[in-house]
Amino acid sequence: MAAFGSFQAFSQSPAPFAIGLQPVDPASFIVLDDEIAQYDHEKRTLYETQFDTVFAAENGTLDSQNIVEQMIRSELERARPQRLSILRQEDKSLPPLARAALLVQDDLVLMRKQPAGWALVAASLCFPSSWSLSEKFGHPMHVIHGPVPMEQKMHDRIARIFDHLRPDTPLWRHNWSLEDNPRLRQEKNVHQIKAGAKIISGNKTLYYRSEYQTLHKLEATKDILFTIGVRMRPTDEMETTDAGRHVLDELARQISALSPEERRYKGLEDFATALPNALLERVRRYQQDIAS
């Protein structure tokens, strides 16, 4: 993980359905960028209008919530102390995990080891990617990941990673999807075919949605903090930079290599051939335009 706030969410396109975990600097896991005002506004609006939809916590999670809030406060005090001033007097009545989530762009999720496996026991989830807190809350990971096309050995490997995660060695990974709109909150059925890929039949803008995810084992409680930082970029904007074109090239290659089940999950079932070709053609067309 690079220094505080310097992470480039669109510098690479991770392989789909791969765990791909890497170590993260525990003192630099928060990423804030110049779009943070939008995240602040949307979180505030969701808290004020539908708090019970975006926040939930089981009894007995208060200690872990407090630890997470202190983790985030400590990092901000070190690197962005002015950020702490956004909290309002009325925020004191919020649960600690909800207050912590107001300080960052990420969603914050707490996982706890239970007899049935690692379960989602608390979360501030304002910007889901094709899922909702109500359908996953309280469930173990094999249920949470139910719609994801992965073999049992992958489920087992993830469980082992959670079991053996060390408090001094947090981890991070990427995930991606394609959308037909720039909304941060994409709460919908994961089986729904996304209209975004219809870029191949019209002029509709397609958005590349990247998730920066981190895992932190809380030493005092042994719970795991799972953070999800979402960034959105229109693909036509990505065409204008070398890094963006590299991502689109890699994205086209990966889409072509998806299995039928993986294409269905990603919402790309009907255009797994046409969409990569369209993305590559747009990159080539842009390169020709700037060369002429």
Side-chain angles (χ1 to χ4, degrees), residues 186-241:
Q186 298 281 347
E187 186 182 27
K188 59 179 178 289
N189 190 307
V190 295
H191 298 294
Q192 177 182 338
I193 298 302
K194 297 170 184 170
K198 292 183 179 177
I199 189 175
I200 62 177
S201 60
N203 296 320
K204 204 167 191 178
T205 300
L206 187 65
Y207 293 86
Y208 177 75
R209 181 181 178 95
S210 176
E211 290 186 4
Y212 170 60
Q213 305 171 351
T214 71
L215 293 169
H216 303 256
K217 178 72 70 71
L218 307 182
E219 187 167 16
T221 64
K222 308 308 179 187
D223 290 343
I224 288 178
L225 169 65
F226 177 48
T227 74
I228 311 166
V230 171
R231 300 296 186 272
M232 301 287 290
R233 287 291 183 276
T235 54
D236 51 2
E237 177 185 300
M238 294 169 66
E239 295 165 18
T240 64
T241 67

Side-chain angles (χ1 to χ4, degrees), residues 25-88:
D25 181 348
S28 308
F29 72 93
I30 299 173
V31 180
L32 305 179
D33 60 30
D34 57 8
E35 297 176 352
I36 194 168
Q38 177 188 358
Y39 293 75
D40 288 347
H41 174 74
E42 292 198 29
K43 281 192 179 184
R44 286 279 179 193
T45 300
L46 288 165
Y47 274 26
E48 291 166 5
T49 60
Q50 47 182 311
F51 184 72
D52 290 343
T53 301
V54 301
F55 184 86
E58 290 187 359
N59 294 331
T61 61
L62 195 57
D63 286 348
S64 289
Q65 291 187 53
N66 280 318
I67 291 170
V68 170
E69 183 182 19
Q70 187 54 50
M71 284 173 58
I72 289 175
R73 281 181 172 275
S74 295
E75 173 62 1
L76 292 174
E77 285 170 357
R78 181 191 69 80
R80 294 275 187 95
Q82 68 278 16
R83 179 68 187 161
L84 296 171
S85 65
I86 72 159
L87 291 181
R88 305 170 183 173

